[in-house]
Amino acid sequence: MGLIVQKYGGTSVGNVDGMRRVAERLLATKRAGHEVVAVVSAMAGVTDNLIKLAREISAQPTEREMDALLATGEQGASALIAMAVNAIGGKAVSLSGAAAGIVTDGVHTKAKISHISPRQINELLAEDYIVVVAGFQGQSREGAITTLGRGGSDLTAIALAAALKADDCQIFTDVDGVHTCDPRVVPDASKIDEIAHDELLEMAGAGSKVMQSRAVEFAKKFGVGFEVRSSMKDVPGTRATAEAPNMEDVVVRAVSLERNQAKVTICGVPDRPGCAGRIFSVISAANVSVDMIAQSASTTGTTDLSFTLHKDEFAIAEKLLAPLVSEIGAAAMTATTGVAKLSVVGIGMRSHAGVASRLFACLGEAGVNIQLISTSEIKIAVVVDEAELDRAAQVTHAAFGLATPRSSAQP
Ligand code: ADP
Ligand code: ASP
Ligand code: MG
């Protein structure tokens, strides 16, 4: 007996059958004696369609109106789920993010939650309702509807679990849990039973979109344990928790992939203070996020500086940097799309050597060229040609023995 937050993603509520399945699970959880708060995403494809529609209406819709529009996807789905629960004899009510008491800052399209006042949720729970909250949204102090970034219903669920001091938070999705790689790319990827917040955070940041990275960050900060599991089958999923002592035994937990990247290289940058600062201030002033950055050592008084960014921000970065190349006295700039990032992640890397050499060797044997390398304490990332990404993922996954039980495959 306790309070359980269950989040259902877009594919889980993507059609009438899926919604009925969700309603049955909510009711079964309630009848097992729990208080239940559901968080739902928009039906699969709805958010993308609304974005497309907005772009047909206006080349540059304001972010305020985009938020007002996109929030309707989750509002519709939450009302339908409440109806589905009521239709099978349960008692449910839906709430928008604002009605659920989710207060955010005013940064439209990527608002941050400032606090949650769950008074209405608590009152409804006390009246025995299953409370269905529209994910991905909140309200600014000025009363405008805001959204929490793509995939933001995960954040709604984790933040509500923290605010309500829930006994459990379950993230239901279209896979059995977090896998050792995206199962769409590596079919023999295996489900991970238990993962540390830090590993999942690195994975999400490196492109494994099974959980929104801001949601994992929030869970880590507020110590929210949660489970990622299937909405189609009743099997245990992946439990994400603070790090436990035995977790370092596994060296590489997973391979993460990020497509749609672009790479910019500025050659012959004078090796003197201030040049990198000028390059990256121009880019950050335009709100463009840069990912991997690498600079060659200077032996001739100049260096080559490379970085990656999302391909949608490539054109703007190229336009801003072109005049700067001659201004700072650099030789040239080359810029390409069609690249992708592959990362191996595992907290065991802190205490085990040899991961980089194994990764580079397996990619070399497969004839995959590495264009850039970056590392963190628990991750090694490489940039490769996007056309070679799937093959690179498959050979890397095999080289680290991730398809077999990890205890026997890794030191
Ligand atoms: P939801 O709509 O439920 O939020 P998402 O599409 O956001 O679901 O996330 C689930 C998808 O994440 C899966 O269908 C899978 O293709 C993808 N995915 C990427 N990397 C992984 C991984 N390491 N483990 C599991 N799923 C992954
Ligand atoms: N519907 C939103 C999206 O597609 C939020 C979510 O699904 O979590 O990004
Ligand atoms: Mg998602």
Side-chain angles (χ1 to χ4, degrees), residues 41-42 47 74 136 150-153:
S41 290
T47 309
E74 269 67 14
F136 175 56
R150 294 304 305 263
S153 302

Side-chain angles (χ1 to χ4, degrees), residues 7-12 41-42 44 151 153-154 171-185 189-190 192 200 203 207-212 228 231 254-257:
K7 178 259 171 177
Y8 293 92
T11 32
S12 307
S41 290
S153 302
D154 293 336
I171 308 286
F172 287 92
T173 184
D174 59 359
V175 277
D176 291 356
V178 180
H179 282 61
T180 47
C181 192
D182 186 342
R184 290 179 212 229
V185 179
S190 50
I192 300 168
L200 192 51
M203 283 177 68
S208 297
K209 296 285 187 280
V210 60
M211 276 296 287
Q212 191 209 33
V228 179
S231 66
V255 179
S256 293
L257 311 173

Side-chain angles (χ1 to χ4, degrees), residues 20-42:
R20 289 207 176 109
R21 227 179 356 252
V22 169
E24 272 154 22
R25 195 187 285 274
L26 291 173
L27 196 52
T29 312
K30 175 82 182 130
R31 287 189 173 148
H34 301 290
E35 292 184 300
V36 183
V37 173
V39 172
V40 297
S41 290

Side-chain angles (χ1 to χ4, degrees), residues 51-138:
I51 293 174
K52 215 165 124 235
L53 196 59
R55 298 230 165 101
E56 280 171 31
I57 297 278
S58 159
Q60 271 187 314
T62 63
E63 293 190 326
R64 185 188 190 284
E65 297 316 323
M66 281 307 285
D67 276 356
L69 176 70
L70 297 192
T72 63
E74 269 67 14
Q75 286 161 13
S78 56
L80 286 164
I81 291 294
M83 286 178 204
V85 172
N86 294 334
I88 55 169
K91 189 175 150 189
V93 67
S94 69
L95 294 178
S96 67
I102 299 174
V103 182
T104 71
D105 62 19
V107 182
H108 285 289
T109 77
K110 41 183 170 302
K112 285 206 175 68
I113 296 177
S114 14
H115 68 274
I116 298 183
S117 312
R119 186 188 49 80
Q120 201 177 347
I121 296 183
N122 282 324
E123 282 171 13
L124 290 164
L125 289 174
E127 288 169 36
D128 230 23
Y129 280 101
I130 292 173
V131 183
V132 188
V133 178
F136 175 56
Q137 57 187 278

